[in-house]
Amino acid sequence: MKHKPPLSVQILIGLLLGVLAGLALQAAPDVARTYIKPFGVLFLNLIKMVVVPLVFASITAGTCGLGDAKKVGRIGGKTILFYLCTTALAVTLGLLAANLFPVGRGLGQVAQESAGAAGTTVSVADTLLNIVPTNPVAALAEGNMLQIIFFALCLGGAILLIGEKGLPLLAVCDSLAEAMYALTGFIMKLAPVAVFALIAPVVAELGPRVLLAFLGVILVVYGACLLHMLVGYSIAVGGIARVNPLTFFRTALPALVFAFSSASSAGTLPFSMEAARRLGVPAPVRSFVLPLGATINMDGTAIYQGVCALFIANAYGIPLDLGQQVTIVLTCTLASVGTAGVPGAGVVMLTMVLQSVGLPVEGVALVAGIDRVLDMARTTVNITGDIACSAVVAATEGGLKPERP
Ligand code: ASP
């Protein structure tokens, strides 16, 4: 073909074909699992290969690139404020939606039956303490993103402090980050095939029947996610960053489609970096804000946790008063910070939210079966929030400088 369609169109085609293939393979999900899924896994492994060095190098270099400690503090403060506020709004929206459309009533029987199938639990204190790595090398080896980010921020700050002596280290981080971006560029060319291979097995395995049983919860989560994305972020990018929301979503589209199919914020990082670049977010800001966001900013996860907490409460017939719902807002905001940007991580953190208001942790089993479908929506919101934040922070720090590809 003479004119290849742009990557975003190719990815959309991959998504569409993947859904069709999944529907066609419903009678034989094994085929999808055995022959199609490995291509998706291969792609995710390639992305994972670059993500740890990319996040480490780009946050360290990004922190130094901001120039002085005051600027780091200012941009860091703005970023974290944006992330926390939007996340708290997101979970409130999730709770409102779930109160308005009370899903899960009458599922008590299922709830009893699935008791005992819950996974691990996580506490608030552990989540906070875990941010500081006792061994940064181990954090890098295990790919513990929150710890890597903490160490990279400290290292970046220290390099700034030692002035000239830090320049060689900065050059190493800079060039490592560049090399990882270049590698990512090659890997991204495979994205359309990867999207196809990731989505087909999900559709083949879950099929419309399982989805129908949980239609209520799925609709509420998707509805709240859409509202948060289309209204919340449009106001943020249109009002503060002065970017036309349509331009914003069009530019972010490849990243959003990839987030939807891969259900991984960390895996989508290279795509969000590219979207922010095309929106005109300067390099130091995007390499600081986006890896941080991929790890701590999870508005979609917060929406999901809010809805699911209420869904589980309804299923067990346990009413939640206003105080408990406020507790959920606070815990979800924190839990979403502690959620890793990988598929399914939100379920583990949901246990922390349930515990905070005394709901049975076994309730997680109720939503585990449809988690992937919910994960796709929440990851898309998570990524939109990261890109929106990078545009907002850049706009308040000297403005966006759009560049053409
Ligand atoms: N999959 C989500 C993400 O990577 C995290 C979650 O499970 O909520 O953004």
Side-chain angles (χ1 to χ4, degrees), residues 263-265 298 301 339-346 375 378-379 382:
S264 166
S265 292
M298 307 262 168
T301 302
T339 304
V342 294
D375 204 356
R378 62 187 194 245
T379 309
N382 294 344

Side-chain angles (χ1 to χ4, degrees), residues 108 110-121 308 311-313 315-316 318 347 350-352 354-355 358-369:
V110 192
Q112 298 304 330
E113 281 165 13
S114 51
T120 28
T121 58
C308 285
F311 170 72
I312 290 164
Y316 281 86
I318 305 170
V347 183
L350 180 61
T351 59
M352 180 169 120
L354 297 179
Q355 272 183 328
L359 286 171
V361 174
E362 298 80 44
V364 165
L366 273 182
V367 281

Side-chain angles (χ1 to χ4, degrees), residues 73 77 103 145 147 188 325 373 392 394:
V103 280
M145 285 303 167
Q147 295 191 346
M188 268 163 63
Q325 300 210 20
V373 179
V392 166

Side-chain angles (χ1 to χ4, degrees), residues 11 198 200 230 306 398:
I11 292 180
L198 288 168
L230 298 183

Side-chain angles (χ1 to χ4, degrees), residues 14-367:
L15 182 73
L16 200 73
L17 292 179
V19 171
L20 292 179
L23 287 173
L25 286 172
Q26 269 181 85
D30 279 355
V31 174
R33 210 178 312 132
T34 320
Y35 298 105
I36 301 183
K37 199 173 169 185
F39 292 99
V41 176
L42 173 73
F43 184 83
L44 287 181
N45 285 353
L46 283 171
I47 290 276
K48 279 185 202 153
M49 176 179 85
V50 291
V51 153
V52 167
L54 179 72
V55 168
F56 173 71
S58 100
I59 292 212
T60 309
T63 310
C64 300
L66 294 178
D68 60 89
K70 245 199 230 147
K71 203 167 172 195
V72 175
R74 202 176 57 233
I75 294 194
K78 279 183 197 172
T79 306
I80 289 175
L81 187 73
F82 182 94
Y83 284 160
L84 290 184
C85 289
T86 51
T87 305
L89 275 178
V91 54
T92 311
L93 182 70
L95 282 175
L96 280 177
N99 274 303
L100 217 59
F101 306 99
V103 280
R105 295 232 166 108
L107 267 178
Q109 187 56 35
V110 192
Q112 298 304 330
E113 281 165 13
S114 51
T120 28
T121 58
V122 190
S123 81
V124 179
D126 281 350
T127 306
L128 286 179
L129 284 177
N130 246 334
I131 296 177
V132 184
T134 48
N135 177 351
V137 180
L140 286 165
E142 286 159 10
N144 185 325
M145 285 303 167
L146 214 49
Q147 295 191 346
I148 295 174
I149 287 181
F150 185 83
F151 180 62
L153 286 173
C154 294
L155 183 63
I159 294 177
L160 271 182
L161 274 182
I162 57 173
E164 244 179 51
K165 278 194 182 154
L167 292 181
L169 203 47
L170 173 59
V172 170
C173 290
D174 243 345
S175 112
L176 180 61
E178 281 304 322
M180 288 303 124
Y181 289 136
L183 201 51
T184 311
F186 288 117
I187 300 174
M188 268 163 63
K189 297 213 165 82
L190 304 172
V193 179
V195 165
F196 171 88
L198 288 168
I199 206 84
V202 175
V203 177
E205 232 155 275
L206 290 179
R209 240 174 310 131
V210 190
L211 301 189
L212 221 56
F214 288 92
L215 197 62
V217 117
I218 295 176
L219 282 181
V220 175
V221 170
Y222 270 68
C225 280
L226 260 181
L227 201 68
H228 189 66
M229 248 172 83
L230 298 183
V231 179
Y233 297 138
S234 291
I235 294 176
V237 294
I240 310 176
R242 302 258 167 242
V243 176
N244 182 338
L246 274 181
T247 312
F248 172 79
F249 282 108
R250 212 181 31 237
T251 313
L253 192 66
L256 304 191
V257 176
F258 191 74
F260 186 78
S261 349
S262 70
S264 166
S265 292
T268 311
L269 187 58
F271 292 82
S272 26
M273 288 281 200
E274 174 63 13
R277 187 188 69 78
R278 292 184 57 202
L279 281 169
V281 177
V285 175
R286 63 176 187 259
S287 51
F288 179 86
V289 173
L290 291 172
L292 195 63
T295 310
I296 70 165
N297 181 44
M298 307 262 168
D299 292 2
T301 302
I303 291 177
Y304 148 87
Q305 285 168 341
V307 174
C308 285
L310 239 81
F311 170 72
I312 290 164
N314 283 339
Y316 281 86
I318 305 170
L320 290 179
D321 61 26
L322 191 64
Q324 283 172 307
Q325 300 210 20
V326 172
T327 309
I328 291 185
V329 173
L330 296 178
T331 327
C332 281
T333 308
L334 198 67
S336 69
V337 171
T339 304
V342 294
V347 183
V348 180
M349 297 312 274
L350 180 61
T351 59
M352 180 169 120
V353 177
L354 297 179
Q355 272 183 328
S356 72
V357 285
L359 286 171
V361 174
E362 298 80 44
V364 165
L366 273 182
V367 281

